[in-house]
Amino acid sequence: MRIAAAQTPSLPNDVAANVETHLHFVASAAAMGVQVLVFPELSLTGYELEGVSDTALKLDAPVLHPLRAAAMRHGMALVVGAPIQQAETRYKPGIGAIVFESDGSHAVYLKRHLHPGEGNFVNAGREDAHVRAWCGERMALAICADIAEPAHAEAAACAGASLYLAGVLISEAGYPLDAALARQHAADHSMGVLLANHAAPSGGVASAGRSAFWAPDGTLVGQVPGTGAWLLLAERRSAGWITRAEAVCR
């Protein structure tokens, strides 16, 4: 089983350009045999909360069609970050993780726990755990501040998740605490934890990069060395988990 974090840069509110970046990462991941690829929080727009109602996407938006096609072409599940337009327009958008399945279907998970101030722009989701069945495993999705709430990881574990996949935007100052939380979730719930962080500053936040994977016993198996465009592959073998970080060039 091979899963990966795509540590990508995002141009502010330029969804079409960011889709092209995502497709480049998908192609690189496919060459590595990746089966599930996770992108950072709001990877398709950047962390641009002001005006988010104008950039929020519907799941059937034409700009997303190439990502759906790529998932089908490569037999890979993709988890990409974007603001999601609510069904009823009177509601604020949500911070979403859009799932494109290899069979052409799609789904969305909305960030359950918000950072202070985010509620001025978006609504929190209502799912305590969103779990997908991939590669014979149950994998739960998380978005950034979700990992700061122990109840979120606990709900994922109670739903049978053996892996916890989080798209995030974590700064240098916030990284030590969030990394410690990721390690703790892994150890407490015997659940592998993957963090996919931004490659560059976004929305005024200077990302720490350092996308990482913790094994189910809480051991840090691998980590990207810093910022910049990287793929972090986590592979489970009979002897346990291994990781490999590959720089992605365009």
Side-chain angles (χ1 to χ4, degrees):
M1 178 173 61
R2 294 179 178 180
I3 61 175
Q7 185 169 293
T8 55
S10 298
L11 293 176
N13 295 323
D14 192 338
V15 177
N18 292 327
V19 164
E20 290 301 315
T21 297
H22 282 51
L23 293 173
H24 182 70
F25 273 77
V26 171
S28 296
M32 298 166 68
V34 170
Q35 295 154 292
V36 180
L37 182 60
V38 182
F39 288 86
E41 178 182 26
L42 293 174
S43 58
L44 288 179
T45 60
Y47 189 75
E48 307 294 331
L49 294 183
E50 291 192 15
V52 69
S53 294
D54 297 325
T55 58
L57 297 169
K58 293 183 178 180
L59 293 183
D60 60 355
V63 73
L64 299 176
H65 291 177
L67 292 170
R68 182 178 295 110
M72 296 173 66
R73 182 168 61 255
H74 296 296
M76 185 189 306
L78 307 181
V79 183
V80 306
I84 301 299
Q85 190 176 115
Q86 300 285 353
E88 297 189 37
T89 56
R90 70 177 182 273
Y91 293 131
K92 290 179 283 190
I95 295 176
I98 307 174
V99 178
F100 294 107
E101 297 278 12
S102 59
D103 64 1
S105 63
H106 61 268
V108 66
Y109 164 70
L110 296 180
K111 187 176 184 178
R112 182 71 176 88
H113 301 281
L114 302 180
H115 283 293
E118 287 182 340
N120 295 328
F121 305 97
V122 297
N123 283 335
R126 297 181 179 180
E127 281 186 285
D128 290 327
H130 184 96
V131 178
R132 313 295 296 178
W134 289 319
C135 309
E137 301 280 343
R138 290 176 64 80
M139 307 187 195
L141 303 185
I143 302 174
C144 208
D146 286 336
I147 68 175
E149 295 292 336
H152 192 268
E154 183 176 356
C158 288
S162 59
L163 289 162
Y164 189 67
L165 313 178
V168 300
L169 173 56
I170 302 175
S171 68
E172 194 67 46
Y175 194 89
L177 175 59
D178 286 342
L181 288 166
R183 184 201 64 78
Q184 194 65 50
H185 296 332
D188 286 349
H189 302 295
S190 298
M191 198 165 54
V193 177
L194 181 75
L195 296 187
N197 203 7
H198 277 257
S202 187
V205 178
S207 174
R210 296 192 304 216
S211 297
F213 178 76
W214 289 262
D217 63 357
T219 301
L220 177 62
V221 183
Q223 186 179 57
V224 168
T227 54
W230 291 83
L231 279 168
L232 179 69
L233 170 73
E235 179 179 358
R236 190 178 64 188
R237 296 182 174 178
S238 57
W241 286 93
I242 64 168
T243 60
R244 185 168 94 244
E246 293 281 350
V248 178
C249 301
R250 294 199 67 178

